[in-house]
Amino acid sequence: GNSVTQMEGPVTLSEEAFLTINCTYTATGYPSLFWYVQYPGEGLQLLLKATKADDKGSNKGFEATYRKETTSFHLEKGSVQVSDSAVYFCALIPSKTSYDKVIFGPGTSLSVIP
Amino acid sequence: SQTIHQWPATLVQPVGSPLSLECTVEGTSNPNLYWYRQAAGRGLQLLFYSVGIGQISSEVPQNLSASRPQDRQFILSSKKLLLSDSGFYLCAWSVEWGETQYFGPGTRLLVL
């Protein structure tokens, strides 16, 4: 079946540190991959996405590359800020034609301290 | 541009009382609509989805129901709330099945 695995954290980093949040998936077919961010008390916001192998999604200094060979979509940022403190969700849509539901990972809580 | 609204933002209700949460989308036509619940912790559970007016699919049998009376309006209801209904309820929309989902700001429900 389809699934998403991500490190649950919490992850605590100092400001300007390098961030990596690992995400791996299992899926049949050719899924689209997403990272969402949820700030405290708010809904989920789309952070970035990639729809095919080797695509790189990027936004607000965050990047993730769709690696089909390792079935991974790790989120990275070179220098985190306090304002990046949030919960990050990795997600996949299995296929447009399969009518499968979106699969969300459990979320990774990130705290950035000054 | 498209926007999605949810209200109320916060709700405190006694056990056994009814519930109505509303979600509306602007700037698009015939969207797919979704209701999720996020219990304490962080995981998301898909409750209902709709691909058109009057069409509702339920993912998990429970104390809740959904309706779509208009193209861009999605309502989550209950006749009698349970303590276990407490949580953060998120509405989302997409252009069509398999496309990116965009989320509303959420409604925090506390059942006492």
Side-chain angles (χ1 to χ4, degrees):
Chain A
N2 302 306
S3 67
V4 172
T5 302
Q6 64 177 110
M7 52 194 294
E8 293 199 30
V11 174
T12 301
L13 294 174
S14 297
E15 205 165 21
E16 298 184 2
F18 185 86
L19 169 70
T20 300
I21 300 178
N22 290 336
C23 172
T24 57
Y25 69 90
T26 57
T28 55
Y30 302 94
S32 296
L33 301 172
F34 304 82
W35 277 102
Y36 286 87
V37 58
Q38 185 178 32
Y39 299 103
E42 299 183 8
L44 274 68
Q45 299 178 25
L46 177 67
L47 183 58
L48 53 84
K49 68 179 183 181
T51 58
K52 61 182 187 295
D54 299 325
D55 269 1
K56 177 187 282 188
S58 61
N59 186 24
K60 298 181 181 180
F62 291 88
E63 293 183 341
T65 301
Y66 188 161
R67 301 285 188 200
K68 191 169 178 63
E69 64 276 13
T70 55
T71 62
S72 65
F73 193 54
H74 303 323
L75 182 68
E76 296 181 336
K77 186 175 185 182
S79 176
V80 293
Q81 305 301 311
V82 173
S83 57
D84 294 325
S85 297
V87 179
Y88 293 81
F89 291 90
C90 185
L92 71 83
I93 296 177
S95 168
K96 287 188 183 182
T97 58
S98 69
Y99 294 96
D100 285 328
K101 316 299 185 297
V102 177
I103 308 297
F104 287 91
T108 300
S109 176
L110 170 67
S111 293
V112 181
I113 55 176
Chain B
S1 64
Q2 299 85 9
T3 55
I4 178 168
H5 305 279
Q6 288 186 243
W7 64 86
T10 306
L11 192 60
V12 180
Q13 292 284 93
V15 169
S17 63
L19 173 73
S20 181
L21 304 182
E22 190 166 343
C23 170
T24 58
V25 180
E26 296 177 356
T28 187
S29 296
N30 196 32
N32 282 8
L33 297 172
Y34 311 84
W35 277 113
Y36 289 87
R37 178 168 59 201
Q38 190 176 30
R42 301 180 297 272
L44 283 144
Q45 179 186 34
L46 179 63
L47 303 176
F48 302 94
Y49 65 90
S50 171
V51 298
I53 296 175
Q55 188 280 330
I56 305 295
S57 295
S58 174
E59 284 296 293
V60 182
Q62 55 200 321
N63 187 41
L64 301 170
S65 62
S67 62
R68 185 170 176 174
Q70 300 181 38
D71 181 41
R72 290 169 289 176
Q73 184 184 34
F74 205 22
I75 296 173
L76 184 69
S77 303
S78 174
K79 292 183 179 178
K80 289 186 178 181
L81 283 168
L82 306 173
L83 287 174
S84 57
D85 292 324
S86 294
F88 193 47
Y89 289 82
L90 290 160
C91 182
W93 73 273
S94 66
V95 171
E96 60 183 28
W97 197 265
E99 293 288 346
T100 304
Q101 292 188 16
Y102 299 94
F103 286 79
T107 294
R108 188 162 305 281
L109 172 66
L110 179 60
V111 183
L112 300 176

